[in-house]
Amino acid sequence: MQNIETAQGQSAAMRKRKLSSLNRVFKYVLVRGLTLLVTVTIGVYLAILIANGGGYVDEMRKGQIREQVSIQMAGDPENAFLTLQERRTLEESLVNTQIQQLGLDRPFAIRSFEYLWNGLTLDLGRADYLLSDSGSRQVRAILGERLGPTLLLMATGQLLLFFSSLALGLSLSRRYGSTLDKLIVALAPTSSAPAWFYGMFLILIFAAVLGWLPFGGMVSAPPPETTWLRALSTLKHMILPVTALLVSSLFVSAYSRRTFFLIYSSEDYVEMAKAKGLSDREIERRYVLRPTLPTIITSFMLTIIGLWTGAIVFESVFNWPGIGRLTQQAINMFDTPVIVATTVIYAYLLAITIFLLDIIYALVDPRVKIGGGGTRS
Amino acid sequence: MKATLSNFFRQMRSYPSAVVGSIIILFLIFMAIYAMIAIPYSDAIRLWRGADSVWMETPRNAAPAWFNWFYREKQPESIIMRTTDDPNYKQVVDLGGGVATTDFVFEFDYQYDGFPTEMTMFFDAKFVASRPNVALKWITPDGREIPLADLSVRASENYSISQDTRVTRRLGGLSPEKGLFADPANPNKVLKGTYQLVGEGLVFEEGSSVDASMVIYGKLHGLAGTDHRRRDITIALLWGTPVALAFGLVAAVGSSIATMFLGAASVWFGGWIDWLIRRVNEVVMILPLLPILIMIGLFYSRSIWVILGIVILLGIFGSGILSYRAMFLQVKESGYIDAARAYGAGSGRIIFRYMIPKIIPTLIPGFVTQVPSFVFLEATLALLGLGDPVLPTWGKLLNDAQTNGALLNGHFYWVLEPAFLLMLAGFGFAMLGFALDRIFNPRLRGI
């Protein structure tokens, strides 16, 4: 009788603990989310401050308005009858209305907060020169079109990278000292070069010399008729960029995973598990992979952050129609609103990446659940 | 101390990657020193800007000269002959009354399988009122004489033979640089042998003279070839070395040392200092480095040193601070720190004398491995068109190659040369860094 009671008490306690640990995970995620929101706000504000550098950009925009107005006036036949003085005053008044319309006459301190709000709510204004494929000047429309391809390429590359480096690292730690292991260790320094660098070589070999794969772009031109063929063509265009991403990061990731696994598999509790007669697979899953997971996720997070910022050149090299390529086009055309907008979008992407990984982190790190404080190492 | 050093070097020698990495780094340092001595800074900038038509006599987009070693069909290098260099090319006969004939004969042996890319005559004439006259003709090895042009020479005159449409017509539609060298039996093949370019000149004034130089632009040039603006790529390859090394080393050392101090301060003082440093770190982690650098490059300055400053500033609060914090947290708990506190050591003393020395072994491999990422960062910015406006760098070479379709047009050397050096720098530091990591971190030793 007593036994049953204690059993019931235990299961209730377990349920309670489970609930409280879920609570803790939820609270942790909430706190992290709020912190990140504040962080993003500060980051975007900093970006705006840098972008407007002492009103330089404002001056530039005013200059543009003046030029546009004078071109408009020169093209208007009615103005031919005005005297020079009249023309001047008319031009001045037109310029001033435009400046007032755009709100450029207010002090920067006020405008900067307006810009901040616009940036945070992704109201990104109108591009100076660039157009979206549908012909829109709205920066949001332009970015929206480009976000898809970037996410497609990066997500494919990063997921492949994560799982293949994990698998490779595990198998290397199992076959420690083999030829393959030595080869990967020797190849690890090659990851010091970024993905676009290997991309250039891959283009040289597979596009310029062998002619097997396209130089760049996302779909062949003209695009194939059916959706199925278009997807196939996109897949073909993705081979080189994804390979470049893998080549640039796989070896060093696999190397560091392998090293972690080796360090952790020499721990006493692993020896203990071996002594208990658990299978190798069981030991790996429970005693090696589990404790190393938080560290692995941290290092993976850093890799992804690196890849995000590297995407600008990476996409330019491969002519991939994503945000990175857009950034480069904006640089070449000096399209300020687009450049600022891409910076904001990148800040958001980084924050979202960190947030997602924080959630995963909370799920895998026992310290968060028990409430021992989830300090990332 | 001496014993530790020699012990360290003995350990280094047991890692082949450390040895190879060190050799590569030494080679690059040697190259950087050579570049700075051989081509002074101001010369490098002047040459790379290409002012004063310094690159008039080099071919456009020429491959490196050593390409000929690998192909059976030999491509021409430039043939440059000047009357100012060798007086035998020019014969002056005074006819009296200020009139004199000035004849040039440029004779050369052409034994290449490929055609040249361009042909130009440059004249320098001295006169007061009446210009000298020069009639040019071409004599092929089989004795054909092809008239080129009759020129009235100004003080400084360029005559581009390869763009003269009248010569093209005379050659039956072949462009001059091909037609003049083609075998009449097979216009796609070069007729090998001794060619002559003959100029019959007349000057009409006392003291008037004319000097000529003939440039037949080849397809190969120098150690590294030339770019689309006829500049010798060797200059950028050489000068890119000190720039890349300086940028990479200063950025890596600067940011990692500052990060280390901040990490130590954050752990030691704790409280609001720790809080502030961690929040700043979080903001910096969100700031996308490259877009920020792009904005700085566009709106403020493209100078490589300004960019370097920003990179260090953002790098200080970057992700490195987290790992230093973790390390210092362990160090702080050590017994000897308590001992130091017990004898009354101040915060500064504990940080500088006890905490930081403990971490330095992990710092060194860390910053050696970081160098490549900064070297490539410079190349990345240059590739986006935000390279330093005056300095020739590896990244700017890649950018030129990229924007001029080097890969599409088959000018592979233009991409491969700077890429090779970038790779050398990257691998050199990475290999050394990986080995140092294993030497300094006993936990990794043997793994």
Side-chain angles (χ1 to χ4, degrees), chain A residues 151-364:
Chain A
L151 285 176
L152 174 70
L153 185 62
M154 286 297 160
T156 314
Q158 285 163 358
L159 285 179
L160 267 178
L161 178 67
F162 181 69
F163 289 110
S164 56
S165 69
L166 206 60
L168 191 60
L170 258 182
S171 88
L172 286 182
S173 73
R174 243 179 264 152
R175 250 166 280 155
Y176 162 60
S178 67
T179 326
L180 183 70
D181 182 43
K182 281 182 183 144
L183 187 74
I184 299 290
V185 173
L187 281 177
T190 58
S191 300
S192 57
W196 61 260
F197 187 75
Y198 289 106
M200 236 164 39
F201 280 100
L202 290 177
I203 291 175
L204 198 157
I205 297 168
F206 292 101
V209 177
L210 296 173
W212 291 351
L213 291 164
F215 273 89
M218 195 166 112
V219 214
S220 52
E225 303 266 312
T226 61
T227 326
W228 172 238
L229 279 177
R230 216 173 302 145
L232 213 65
S233 165
T234 306
L235 215 59
K236 196 176 162 192
H237 283 77
M238 273 170 72
I239 296 175
L240 283 187
V242 169
T243 317
L245 274 177
L246 283 182
V247 170
S248 74
S249 302
L250 180 62
F251 299 125
V252 81
S253 309
Y255 167 78
S256 60
R257 305 290 129 85
R258 153 201 177 275
T259 313
F260 265 121
F261 292 143
L262 282 175
I263 289 173
Y264 274 81
S265 49
S266 61
E267 295 279 353
D268 290 341
Y269 54 80
V270 179
E271 297 296 325
M272 173 71 183
K274 273 184 199 158
K276 278 202 294 194
L278 289 179
S279 70
D280 279 355
R281 214 151 265 280
E282 193 84 336
I283 292 173
E284 250 166 31
R285 208 162 52 82
R286 272 209 228 154
Y287 297 102
V288 180
L289 211 48
R290 199 63 212 267
T292 46
L293 221 45
T295 330
I296 286 172
I297 286 171
T298 309
S299 84
F300 183 60
M301 180 178 80
L302 295 179
T303 319
I304 290 188
I305 289 171
L307 286 180
W308 270 129
T309 23
I312 296 176
V313 194
F314 185 64
E315 286 180 2
S316 314
V317 166
F318 280 104
N319 238 333
W320 188 264
I323 295 183
R325 172 111 184 84
L326 178 73
T327 314
Q328 210 218 350
Q329 285 171 325
I331 293 170
N332 290 340
M333 296 172 115
F334 215 86
D335 201 324
T336 332
V338 177
I339 294 170
V340 177
T342 47
T343 312
V344 172
I345 287 287
Y346 270 115
Y348 260 111
L349 284 176
L350 285 177
I352 291 170
T353 312
I354 292 174
F355 186 58
L356 279 180
L357 287 166
D358 268 334
I359 295 177
I360 300 172
Y361 203 87
L363 294 178
V364 299

Side-chain angles (χ1 to χ4, degrees), chain B residues 412-434:
Chain B
F412 297 149
Y413 66 93
W414 199 358
V415 176
L416 288 178
E417 286 164 0
F420 174 72
L421 285 175
L422 273 171
M423 210 160 73
L424 214 56
F427 290 5
F429 282 101
M431 283 163 97
L432 182 65
F434 275 73

Side-chain angles (χ1 to χ4, degrees), chain B residues 80-94:
Chain B
I80 301 172
M81 297 172 106
R82 299 188 191 91
T83 53
T84 45
D85 288 353
D86 187 345
N88 291 333
Y89 294 146
K90 182 164 100 167
Q91 275 187 326
V92 181
V93 180
D94 200 350

Side-chain angles (χ1 to χ4, degrees), chain B residues 281-336:
Chain B
N281 164 258
E282 268 163 15
V283 173
V284 170
M285 292 275 280
I286 299 273
L287 283 182
L289 176 65
L290 203 55
I292 296 277
L293 288 180
I294 287 168
M295 289 204 296
I296 304 263
L298 276 180
F299 302 141
Y300 300 89
S301 159
R302 286 187 190 189
S303 159
I304 199 166
W305 309 119
V306 172
I307 299 286
L308 180 64
I310 305 288
V311 166
I312 293 178
L313 201 68
L314 289 178
I316 288 173
F317 290 99
S319 56
I321 227 168
L322 292 177
S323 47
Y324 281 117
R325 248 189 108 250
M327 278 187 263
F328 280 120
L329 276 174
Q330 279 182 357
V331 173
K332 195 186 168 191
E333 303 302 319
S334 316
Y336 72 99

